[in-house]
Amino acid sequence: LEKFLLFVTSSTHPESQKHAAKAIARSALNREIRHILHQEGVEKALQLLLGVNNDEIRAAAAEAISVMCEDEASKESFRAEGIFRLVPMLMSDNEELREAVTVAIANLTTDNSNNIDAVFDTKGVEPLVKSLHDSRDTIVASAATTITNL
């Protein structure tokens, strides 16, 4: 797993990074595997992928973050850098990225006051309110969930 995470973060092949993030998301659906992923520091790798200049990779990383949020310790791990990287993506022109990001932020803020504070600190309220007018139902629902969490 350690070598896989190193490959994910250091690969120069965007398709490989995207598929690896999707594989993490699928694997993390299992509670036991999610716990192992957390123990191995998958959050750091996913946060690094959020910094890649590729919307498909960032959307896949946000989807994996959404699934990893089922683990409370993992959810805490995303507070500082993860939310800081996710909030600006709420204003992306890419609908798939915006959708993945709004779902991730909704999951990060559910029952977690520290992550709620981080959304406030990163000026996330205004883009969330703007997301309420999006054409995609999932974006609207996730933005509304996050605002309710606030």
Side-chain angles (χ1 to χ4, degrees), residues 55 58-64 66 86 89-107 128 131 134-143 146:
D55 287 348
R58 293 188 298 183
E63 290 169 9
S66 294
L86 287 167
M89 293 181 217
L90 290 168
M91 301 307 291
S92 172
D93 292 334
N94 184 308
E95 289 181 332
E96 286 154 12
L97 176 59
R98 278 197 327 272
E99 184 171 314
V101 167
T102 54
V103 171
I105 293 173
N107 290 346
L128 284 165
S131 295
D134 202 279
S135 60
R136 287 190 168 207
D137 292 340
T138 303
I139 293 174
V140 173
S142 297
T146 303

Coordinates of all heavy atoms in Angstrom, one line a residue, residues 55 58-64 66 86 89-107 128 131 134-143 146:
D55 N -8.6 18.6 -13.7 CA -9.9 18.5 -13.1 C -10.4 17.1 -12.8 O -11.1 16.8 -11.9 CB -10.9 19.3 -13.9 CG -10.8 20.8 -13.8 OD1 -10.0 21.2 -12.9 OD2 -11.4 21.5 -14.6
R58 N -8.6 15.8 -9.8 CA -9.1 16.4 -8.6 C -10.5 16.0 -8.2 O -10.9 15.8 -7.1 CB -9.1 18.0 -8.7 CG -7.7 18.5 -8.8 CD -7.5 20.0 -8.8 NE -8.2 20.6 -9.9 CZ -8.2 21.9 -10.2 NH1 -7.6 22.7 -9.4 NH2 -8.8 22.3 -11.2
A59 N -11.4 15.7 -9.2 CA -12.7 15.2 -9.0 C -12.6 13.8 -8.4 O -13.4 13.5 -7.5 CB -13.5 15.2 -10.3
A60 N -11.8 13.0 -8.9 CA -11.6 11.6 -8.4 C -11.1 11.6 -7.0 O -11.6 10.8 -6.1 CB -10.6 10.8 -9.3
A61 N -10.2 12.5 -6.7 CA -9.7 12.7 -5.3 C -10.8 13.1 -4.4 O -10.9 12.6 -3.2 CB -8.5 13.6 -5.3
A62 N -11.6 14.1 -4.8 CA -12.7 14.6 -4.0 C -13.7 13.4 -3.7 O -14.3 13.3 -2.6 CB -13.4 15.8 -4.7
E63 N -14.0 12.6 -4.7 CA -14.9 11.5 -4.5 C -14.3 10.5 -3.5 O -15.0 10.0 -2.7 CB -15.1 10.7 -5.9 CG -15.9 11.5 -6.9 CD -15.9 10.9 -8.3 OE1 -15.4 9.8 -8.5 OE2 -16.4 11.6 -9.2
A64 N -13.0 10.3 -3.5 CA -12.4 9.4 -2.6 C -12.4 10.0 -1.2 O -12.7 9.3 -0.2 CB -10.9 9.1 -3.0
S66 N -14.8 11.9 -0.1 CA -16.2 11.8 0.3 C -16.4 10.4 1.0 O -17.0 10.3 2.1 CB -17.1 11.9 -0.8 OG -17.1 13.2 -1.4
L86 N -10.2 22.3 -1.3 CA -11.5 22.0 -1.9 C -12.4 23.3 -2.1 O -13.0 23.4 -3.1 CB -12.3 21.1 -1.0 CG -11.9 19.6 -1.0 CD1 -12.5 18.8 0.2 CD2 -12.2 18.9 -2.3
M89 N -12.4 25.2 -5.3 CA -12.9 24.4 -6.5 C -14.4 24.5 -6.6 O -15.0 24.1 -7.6 CB -12.5 23.0 -6.3 CG -11.0 22.8 -6.5 SD -10.6 21.0 -6.4 CE -9.0 21.1 -5.5
L90 N -15.1 25.0 -5.6 CA -16.5 25.2 -5.7 C -16.9 26.2 -6.8 O -18.0 26.1 -7.3 CB -17.1 25.8 -4.3 CG -17.1 24.9 -3.1 CD1 -17.4 25.6 -1.9 CD2 -18.1 23.7 -3.3
M91 N -16.0 27.0 -7.2 CA -16.2 28.0 -8.3 C -15.7 27.5 -9.6 O -15.7 28.3 -10.6 CB -15.6 29.3 -7.9 CG -16.2 29.9 -6.6 SD -18.0 30.0 -6.5 CE -18.3 31.3 -7.7
S92 N -15.3 26.3 -9.7 CA -14.7 25.7 -11.0 C -15.8 25.8 -12.1 O -17.0 25.7 -11.9 CB -14.3 24.3 -10.8 OG -13.9 23.7 -12.0
D93 N -15.3 25.9 -13.3 CA -16.2 25.8 -14.5 C -16.6 24.3 -14.8 O -17.5 24.1 -15.5 CB -15.5 26.4 -15.7 CG -15.4 27.9 -15.6 OD1 -16.2 28.5 -14.9 OD2 -14.5 28.5 -16.3
N94 N -15.8 23.4 -14.3 CA -16.1 22.0 -14.5 C -17.2 21.5 -13.6 O -17.0 21.4 -12.4 CB -14.8 21.2 -14.3 CG -14.9 19.8 -14.7 OD1 -15.8 19.1 -14.2 ND2 -13.9 19.3 -15.5
E95 N -18.3 21.1 -14.2 CA -19.4 20.6 -13.3 C -19.1 19.4 -12.5 O -19.6 19.2 -11.4 CB -20.7 20.4 -14.2 CG -21.3 21.7 -14.8 CD -22.5 21.4 -15.6 OE1 -22.6 20.3 -16.2 OE2 -23.4 22.3 -15.7
E96 N -18.4 18.4 -13.1 CA -18.1 17.2 -12.4 C -17.2 17.4 -11.2 O -17.4 16.8 -10.2 CB -17.5 16.2 -13.4 CG -18.6 15.6 -14.4 CD -18.0 15.1 -15.7 OE1 -16.7 15.0 -15.8 OE2 -18.8 14.9 -16.6
L97 N -16.3 18.4 -11.4 CA -15.4 18.7 -10.3 C -16.2 19.4 -9.2 O -16.1 19.0 -8.0 CB -14.3 19.6 -10.7 CG -13.3 20.1 -9.6 CD1 -12.7 19.0 -8.9 CD2 -12.3 21.1 -10.2
R98 N -17.1 20.4 -9.6 CA -17.9 21.0 -8.6 C -18.8 20.1 -7.8 O -19.0 20.2 -6.6 CB -18.8 22.1 -9.2 CG -18.1 23.4 -9.5 CD -19.0 24.6 -9.8 NE -20.3 24.3 -10.4 CZ -20.4 24.2 -11.8 NH1 -19.4 24.5 -12.6 NH2 -21.6 24.0 -12.3
E99 N -19.3 19.1 -8.5 CA -20.2 18.1 -7.9 C -19.4 17.3 -6.9 O -19.9 17.1 -5.7 CB -20.9 17.2 -9.0 CG -21.8 16.2 -8.4 CD -22.6 15.5 -9.4 OE1 -23.1 16.1 -10.4 OE2 -22.7 14.3 -9.3
A100 N -18.3 16.8 -7.3 CA -17.5 16.0 -6.4 C -17.1 16.8 -5.1 O -17.1 16.3 -4.0 CB -16.3 15.4 -7.1
V101 N -16.7 18.0 -5.4 CA -16.3 18.9 -4.3 C -17.4 19.2 -3.3 O -17.2 19.2 -2.1 CB -15.6 20.2 -4.8 CG1 -15.4 21.2 -3.8 CG2 -14.3 19.8 -5.5
T102 N -18.6 19.5 -3.8 CA -19.7 19.9 -2.9 C -20.1 18.7 -2.1 O -20.4 18.8 -0.9 CB -20.9 20.4 -3.7 OG1 -21.3 19.5 -4.7 CG2 -20.6 21.8 -4.2
V103 N -20.1 17.5 -2.7 CA -20.4 16.3 -1.9 C -19.3 16.0 -0.8 O -19.6 15.7 0.3 CB -20.5 15.0 -2.8 CG1 -20.6 13.8 -2.0 CG2 -21.7 15.2 -3.8
A104 N -18.0 16.2 -1.2 CA -17.0 16.0 -0.2 C -17.1 17.0 0.9 O -17.0 16.6 2.1 CB -15.6 16.2 -0.9
I105 N -17.4 18.3 0.6 CA -17.5 19.3 1.7 C -18.7 19.0 2.6 O -18.6 19.1 3.8 CB -17.5 20.7 1.1 CG1 -16.1 21.0 0.5 CG2 -17.9 21.7 2.2 CD1 -16.1 22.3 -0.2
A106 N -19.8 18.5 2.0 CA -21.0 18.2 2.8 C -20.6 17.0 3.7 O -21.0 17.1 4.9 CB -22.1 17.8 1.9
N107 N -19.9 16.0 3.2 CA -19.5 14.9 4.1 C -18.5 15.3 5.2 O -18.6 14.8 6.3 CB -19.0 13.7 3.2 CG -20.0 13.1 2.4 OD1 -21.2 13.3 2.6 ND2 -19.6 12.3 1.4
L128 N -20.7 28.4 -1.5 CA -21.8 27.4 -1.2 C -23.2 28.0 -1.5 O -24.0 27.3 -2.1 CB -21.7 26.9 0.2 CG -20.6 26.0 0.5 CD1 -20.3 25.8 2.0 CD2 -20.8 24.6 -0.1
S131 N -23.7 28.0 -5.0 CA -24.0 26.7 -5.5 C -25.4 26.3 -5.5 O -25.9 25.3 -6.1 CB -23.1 25.7 -4.8 OG -21.8 25.9 -5.0
D134 N -27.1 26.2 -8.8 CA -26.5 25.4 -9.9 C -27.6 24.5 -10.6 O -28.6 24.3 -10.1 CB -25.5 24.4 -9.3 CG -24.4 23.9 -10.3 OD1 -24.7 23.0 -11.0 OD2 -23.3 24.5 -10.3
S135 N -27.3 24.1 -11.8 CA -28.2 23.3 -12.6 C -28.2 21.9 -12.2 O -29.1 21.1 -12.5 CB -27.9 23.5 -14.1 OG -26.6 23.0 -14.4
R136 N -27.2 21.4 -11.5 CA -27.1 20.0 -11.1 C -27.7 19.8 -9.7 O -27.3 20.5 -8.7 CB -25.6 19.6 -11.1 CG -25.0 19.4 -12.4 CD -23.7 18.7 -12.3 NE -23.3 18.2 -13.7 CZ -22.5 17.2 -13.9 NH1 -22.0 16.5 -12.9 NH2 -22.2 16.9 -15.1
D137 N -28.6 18.9 -9.6 CA -29.3 18.6 -8.4 C -28.4 18.2 -7.2 O -28.5 18.6 -6.1 CB -30.4 17.6 -8.6 CG -31.5 18.1 -9.4 OD1 -31.7 19.3 -9.6 OD2 -32.3 17.2 -10.0
T138 N -27.4 17.4 -7.5 CA -26.5 16.9 -6.5 C -25.7 18.1 -5.9 O -25.4 18.1 -4.7 CB -25.5 15.9 -7.1 OG1 -26.3 14.8 -7.6 CG2 -24.6 15.3 -6.0
I139 N -25.3 19.0 -6.8 CA -24.5 20.2 -6.3 C -25.4 21.0 -5.3 O -25.0 21.4 -4.3 CB -24.0 21.0 -7.4 CG1 -22.9 20.3 -8.2 CG2 -23.5 22.4 -6.9 CD1 -22.4 20.9 -9.5
V140 N -26.7 21.2 -5.8 CA -27.6 22.0 -4.9 C -27.9 21.3 -3.6 O -27.8 21.9 -2.5 CB -28.9 22.3 -5.7 CG1 -30.0 22.9 -4.8 CG2 -28.7 23.1 -6.9
A141 N -28.1 20.0 -3.7 CA -28.4 19.3 -2.5 C -27.2 19.2 -1.5 O -27.4 19.4 -0.3 CB -28.8 17.8 -2.8
S142 N -26.0 19.0 -2.1 CA -24.8 19.0 -1.2 C -24.5 20.4 -0.6 O -24.1 20.5 0.5 CB -23.6 18.5 -2.0 OG -23.9 17.2 -2.4
A143 N -24.7 21.4 -1.4 CA -24.5 22.8 -0.9 C -25.5 23.1 0.2 O -25.1 23.6 1.3 CB -24.6 23.8 -2.0
T146 N -24.4 21.2 3.4 CA -23.3 21.9 4.0 C -23.8 23.2 4.7 O -23.4 23.4 5.9 CB -22.2 22.3 3.0 OG1 -21.8 21.1 2.4 CG2 -21.0 22.9 3.7

